[in-house]
Amino acid sequence: MMEPNKSGGFWSNLRQGGMPSAIASMRGGETAQQTAQQMAFIRSLMREKRRPEVLHTPLSELETVIFDLETTGFSHQHGDEIMSFGAVKVVGEQIKEEECFYTLVNCQTAIPEDITRLTGITEEMTQSAPSLIDGLHNFMSFVGQNVLVAHASSHDKAFLNAALWKTSKVQLTHRVLDTMMLARWLEPQRSNYSLDELLYVHEIPIHGRHHALEDAKMTAQLWVIYLREISERGQVDTLGDLYAYLSRT
């Protein structure tokens, strides 16, 4: 069989990640059109350049989205998937309890028993949940262009990037801050920087642990505590200042 001519628009678009939405549109029907629109939105959001003026925003006014993901395991490279998204908005030191986001995701993969015991999420629960593209689209719509914050963010960022690439052939372009990095800078004497440990030492009530929204809310409380400590030290005023200090840790 002869190899198709790869010089045309089809193969060019495929290599550039542009074909999935076109293929989705070709399927016809409302679902395919909705999927194509969701992909287009996600790609458009990721193409937006980081606004340099945000670096000059005082931390007391900074708009952030504190988020957490629950996943079927710890390795997206080996087939683990996102099971749920949870997030809450914070402006400066004010947690916007009324501005929250949560969704389960139809991860379309087996959920190990130990993960179900940890999170309370069963395969039956995810089977009737929104698809990954639906959950991701709604999550990114909630986030907008705000700065993201998570605890031990490398895990969440890796899974988020994997989901963005799988569904839309793009990668995350948002700024992401990590409360673990803040803890290492502000509390260098500690030997344990797990979320459970930091919640305990800062007397933040622990409930609903390993539920994405509840973890996001508790991380938000930790974020606010660290913002207050940063303010009291008087060394950091803006987001740009914070990045500069974190780069030295």
Side-chain angles (χ1 to χ4, degrees):
M1 181 177 178
M2 292 181 61
E3 184 178 1
N5 182 358
K6 297 185 180 180
S7 63
F10 180 94
W11 291 102
S12 175
N13 283 341
L14 183 61
R15 288 194 299 272
Q16 296 173 21
M19 192 50 59
S21 60
I23 292 173
S25 297
M26 288 166 59
R27 293 184 195 143
E30 184 177 344
T31 301
Q33 183 178 3
Q34 179 182 359
T35 300
Q37 291 172 344
Q38 290 170 329
M39 290 177 180
F41 168 79
I42 290 172
R43 288 173 178 172
S44 175
L45 189 63
M46 294 308 134
R47 279 198 301 266
E48 290 186 23
K49 294 182 179 179
R50 293 180 176 182
R51 295 171 295 159
E53 63 271 19
V54 173
L55 293 173
H56 303 293
T57 303
L59 293 179
S60 60
E61 301 173 10
L62 185 65
E63 298 182 11
T64 56
V65 171
I66 320 299
F67 80 104
D68 183 68
L69 309 177
E70 294 302 330
T71 59
T72 61
F74 301 99
S75 176
H76 63 87
Q77 300 98 323
H78 293 92
D80 289 320
E81 298 282 354
I82 295 172
M83 300 188 300
S84 64
F85 293 86
V88 60
K89 290 186 178 179
V90 179
V91 178
E93 298 176 5
Q94 183 180 4
I95 299 173
K96 301 286 189 176
E97 292 279 359
E98 72 283 2
E99 295 188 54
C100 295
F101 177 87
Y102 179 76
T103 186
L104 287 169
V105 171
N106 187 341
C107 51
Q108 297 186 329
T109 190
I111 300 176
E113 290 183 6
D114 60 331
I115 296 297
T116 292
R117 286 194 297 270
L118 186 68
T119 66
I121 298 174
T122 66
E123 289 186 28
E124 290 74 21
M125 292 166 64
T126 63
Q127 285 170 0
S128 59
S131 66
L132 177 60
I133 184 68
D134 285 341
L136 187 59
H137 170 269
N138 294 339
F139 172 70
M140 295 311 306
S141 296
F142 179 79
V143 171
Q145 279 294 319
N146 289 321
V147 173
L148 288 166
V149 179
H151 190 78
S153 63
S154 59
H155 170 84
D156 301 279
K157 188 175 179 180
F159 272 87
L160 199 49
N161 265 322
L164 287 166
W165 185 256
K166 180 178 181 178
T167 61
S168 309
K169 296 297 183 286
V170 292
Q171 291 191 320
L172 188 70
T173 55
H174 288 60
R175 291 184 171 90
V176 181
L177 290 167
D178 192 334
T179 47
M180 180 181 283
M181 288 187 66
L182 288 181
R184 290 183 185 278
W185 168 45
L186 296 170
E187 305 172 289
Q189 76 284 359
R190 298 202 182 281
S191 59
N192 185 344
Y193 292 95
S194 69
L195 182 58
D196 289 297
E197 175 69 13
L198 294 174
L199 293 175
Y200 174 76
V201 298
H202 289 289
E203 300 183 342
I204 297 171
I206 300 175
H207 56 83
R209 189 73 174 88
H210 299 294
H211 181 286
L213 179 55
E214 296 305 322
D215 279 2
K217 287 181 176 180
M218 289 183 284
T219 302
Q221 293 181 64
L222 187 63
W223 165 251
V224 168
I225 286 173
Y226 287 148
L227 285 184
R228 288 171 182 162
E229 183 171 342
I230 290 169
S231 176
E232 289 170 2
R233 290 191 178 197
Q235 299 168 301
V236 170
D237 294 317
T238 68
L239 178 60
D241 294 338
L242 181 58
Y243 274 121
Y245 267 86
L246 291 177
S247 67
R248 301 171 192 168
T249 60

